[in-house]
């Protein structure tokens, strides 16, 4: 999968930008503040119709204009598709081959993008919601079924939280809602558990390729209930015990939306004992791992935003060597030490 023609209009700081990107490694080089990250933000938006920076769509529109546009051609094997997204202050419109689509899963099925950004260095030390977000996005890109499950869960969770905010709670409706939440969460835990098992070997291959040392990564997932044949009954009992706290806090205090995982690096919790450099390289491995777990015909486009500046020259070379096997990569940087086997674009 790769992007060829790429056009943006009134997106962030850019009035108009047009590129003809190539397969392999594409490097956007320029000074800080010139808009390199804004360009890869538009590329990422093509995958999930949202910014990786967590901002509202209206903030993506260039100040003083009414709408932003992203237009691109995507090639996947012998199939070529044209994707166009119009972003206005009232909402967005998405077109594939000039036909409007309504489901984000339809967009994700046509273009897949994964990203590593500077703040990911704090992935393990930050709040659990960032690690859950990583799991949800990684799994959604691998499985549209999971995307449907997590979308459904979030919708049911919102309904339950709205019920808990009422002065007089409809107990029958709350019970029905809780049952739906439990049944959906069981599937999500199964997906999360399997995904973590699947990527352990991948993670260790990546870390050894990037460091050229026998380093070891282990992920310990902490589901709110371990999957088993009595899952429903155990979850039902747990929700019953937490009901008083739920009513007091007016929100659901247990469930998959409160889960977490920890990462051990060479036998130690990286959040507590890992250096800044170790946190960065392990986070990078975790972000790259989905590339190898996705089937061949849907291999994602990879974005590495400002990753080279934080790596020493040896690790830069090892990373550039490692990502040569990827179909298409976008790197943003202020300086590039080598132009071998890369396509450079000067951004001013």
């Amino acid at each position: 999968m790769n992007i060829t023609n790429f056009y943006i209009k009134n997106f962030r700081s850019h009035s108009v930008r047009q590129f003809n990107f190539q397969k392999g490694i594409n490097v956007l080089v320029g000074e800080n503040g010139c808009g390199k990250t804004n360009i890869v933000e538009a590329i990422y938006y093509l995958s999930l119709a949202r910014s990786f920076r967590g901002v509202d769509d209206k903030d993506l529109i260039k100040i003083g204009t009414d709408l932003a546009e992203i237009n691109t051609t995507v090639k996947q094997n012998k199939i070529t598709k044209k994707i166009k997204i119009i972003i206005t202050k009232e909402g967005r419109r998405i077109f594939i081959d000039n036909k409007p689509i309504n489901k984000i899963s339809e967009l994700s099925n046509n273009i897949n993008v994964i990203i590593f950004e500077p703040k990911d260095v704090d992935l393990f030390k930050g709040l659990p919601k960032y690690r859950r977000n990583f799991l949800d996005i990684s799994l959604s890109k691998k499985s549209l079924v999971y995307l449907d499950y997590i979308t459904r869960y979030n919708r049911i969770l919102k309904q339950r939280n709205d019920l808990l905010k009422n002065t007089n709670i409809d107990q029958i409706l709350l019970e029905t809602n809780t049952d739906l939440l439990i049944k959906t969460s069981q599937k999500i835990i199964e997906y999360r558990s399997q995904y973590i098992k699947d990527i352990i070997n991948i993670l260790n291959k990546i870390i050894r390729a990037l460091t050229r040392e026998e380093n070891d990564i282990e992920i310990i997932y902490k589901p709110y209930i371990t999957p088993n044949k009595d899952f429903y009954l155990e979850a039902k009992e747990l929700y019953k015990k937490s009901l008083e706290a739920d009513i007091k806090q007016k929100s659901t205090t247990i469930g998959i939306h409160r889960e977490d995982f920890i990462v051990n690096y060479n036998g130690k919790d990286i959040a507590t004992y890992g250096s800044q450099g170790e946190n960065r390289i392990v986070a990078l491995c975790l972000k790259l791992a989905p590339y190898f777990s996705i089937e061949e015909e849907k291999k994602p486009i990879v974005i590495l935003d400002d990753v080279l500046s934080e790596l020493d020259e040896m690790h830069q070379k090892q990373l550039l060597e490692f990502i040569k096997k990827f179909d298409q990569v976008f790197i943003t940087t202020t300086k590039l030490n080598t132009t071998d086997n890369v396509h450079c674009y000067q951004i001013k």
Side-chain angles (χ1 to χ4, degrees):
M1 180 182 296
N2 61 92
I3 288 173
T4 53
N5 302 319
F6 181 77
Y7 169 89
I8 53 175
K9 180 180 179 181
N10 297 333
F11 188 93
R12 289 285 199 175
S13 59
H14 300 288
S15 296
V16 173
R17 287 276 186 178
Q18 188 162 4
F19 300 92
N20 290 312
F21 291 127
Q22 306 296 317
K23 291 189 72 174
I25 303 172
N26 297 270
V27 184
L28 307 180
V29 184
E31 298 298 322
N32 289 327
C34 70
K36 303 184 300 294
T37 298
N38 295 344
I39 295 168
V40 294
E41 183 179 21
I43 293 171
Y44 184 86
Y45 194 94
L46 290 164
S47 177
L48 286 174
R50 70 181 188 186
S51 165
F52 62 79
R53 289 159 153 173
V55 299
D56 291 335
D57 279 0
K58 65 179 183 294
D59 296 320
L60 303 175
I61 303 170
K62 183 176 172 64
I63 295 171
T65 66
D66 296 324
L67 59 84
E69 181 181 334
I70 310 171
N71 223 316
T72 193
T73 302
V74 179
K75 288 188 176 181
Q76 188 174 319
N77 297 326
K78 295 181 180 179
I79 300 171
T80 299
K81 299 234 173 152
K82 292 185 181 295
I83 298 175
K84 180 179 181 179
I85 302 178
I86 303 292
I87 305 168
T88 69
K89 292 169 184 176
E90 289 73 40
R92 63 172 176 256
R93 300 192 302 277
I94 304 171
F95 304 86
I96 297 179
D97 290 336
N98 296 318
K99 294 179 182 178
I101 65 165
N102 297 312
K103 287 187 175 181
I104 300 303
S105 57
E106 292 181 67
L107 183 63
S108 299
N109 199 37
N110 283 280
I111 181 166
N112 197 348
V113 184
I114 59 177
I115 186 167
F116 178 88
E117 52 178 320
K119 71 177 184 180
D120 288 331
V121 69
D122 296 320
L123 180 63
F124 311 118
K125 296 181 180 181
L127 296 173
K129 69 177 182 180
Y130 298 124
R131 291 182 286 279
R132 286 194 301 271
N133 190 49
F134 160 77
L135 269 182
D136 288 340
I137 290 176
S138 298
L139 269 160
S140 295
K141 291 179 178 299
K142 179 178 171 62
S143 167
L144 293 179
V145 176
Y146 182 85
L147 178 58
D148 286 339
Y149 274 128
I150 199 69
T151 302
R152 190 186 314 166
Y153 180 90
N154 288 332
R155 184 174 64 250
I156 300 167
L157 177 64
K158 184 182 183 306
Q159 290 169 353
R160 190 174 193 273
N161 288 340
D162 288 343
L163 285 171
L164 290 167
K165 290 179 174 68
N166 294 333
T167 305
N168 297 311
I169 299 172
D170 186 327
Q171 294 295 334
I172 295 175
L173 192 56
L174 185 66
E175 185 84 5
T176 303
N177 189 279
T178 302
D179 281 357
L180 288 172
L181 209 60
I182 291 170
K183 289 171 183 174
T184 309
S185 69
Q186 182 174 6
K187 291 293 184 182
I188 290 169
I189 288 174
E190 289 171 0
Y191 268 93
R192 286 179 175 180
S193 299
Q194 189 59 51
Y195 179 75
I196 286 172
K197 288 177 184 175
D198 290 344
I199 66 168
I200 289 297
N201 287 336
I202 294 170
L203 281 171
N204 283 300
K205 286 178 181 177
I206 297 173
I207 191 68
R208 289 162 191 172
L210 293 181
T211 62
R212 306 288 172 88
E213 295 176 3
E214 287 298 309
N215 291 306
D216 183 70
I217 299 174
E218 178 189 21
I219 301 177
I220 301 171
Y221 172 43
K222 298 179 176 181
Y224 83 101
I225 292 178
T226 304
N228 63 76
K229 61 182 177 64
D230 296 320
F231 181 93
Y232 176 80
L233 295 175
E234 289 183 20
K236 193 82 171 171
E237 185 63 26
L238 207 56
Y239 273 97
K240 186 178 177 181
K241 289 178 181 177
S242 70
L243 184 58
E244 187 178 339
D246 288 356
I247 293 171
K248 187 176 180 180
Q249 295 189 31
K250 299 184 185 300
S251 67
T252 306
T253 58
I254 63 166
I256 62 106
H257 61 287
R258 296 295 182 99
E259 291 181 346
D260 197 4
F261 67 84
I262 63 171
V263 174
N264 288 338
Y265 184 53
N266 294 332
K268 295 181 179 179
D269 181 356
I270 194 164
T272 305
Y273 300 103
S275 67
Q276 187 83 341
E278 288 171 337
N279 270 269
R280 180 175 292 105
I281 201 77
V282 174
L284 177 60
C285 292
L286 204 62
K287 284 303 196 82
L288 292 178
Y291 185 91
F292 299 95
S293 66
I294 294 171
E295 57 267 32
E296 196 64 37
E297 64 273 14
K298 292 189 178 179
K299 290 294 187 190
I301 293 160
V302 177
I303 296 173
L304 302 176
D305 184 28
D306 197 27
V307 66
L308 296 181
S309 63
E310 300 296 337
L311 298 174
D312 58 40
E313 192 171 342
M314 180 190 73
H315 283 115
Q316 280 190 28
K317 287 180 179 178
Q318 288 169 354
L319 176 60
L320 289 171
E321 183 65 31
F322 182 76
I323 62 177
K324 282 180 185 176
K325 63 188 76 175
F326 294 173
D327 289 349
Q328 190 174 45
V329 183
F330 292 92
I331 297 174
T332 66
T333 186
T334 55
K335 184 175 67 173
L336 188 65
N337 293 325
T338 178
T339 57
D340 294 342
N341 300 311
V342 302
H343 309 283
C344 285
Y345 304 84
Q346 195 71 40
I347 310 299
K348 295 182 180 179

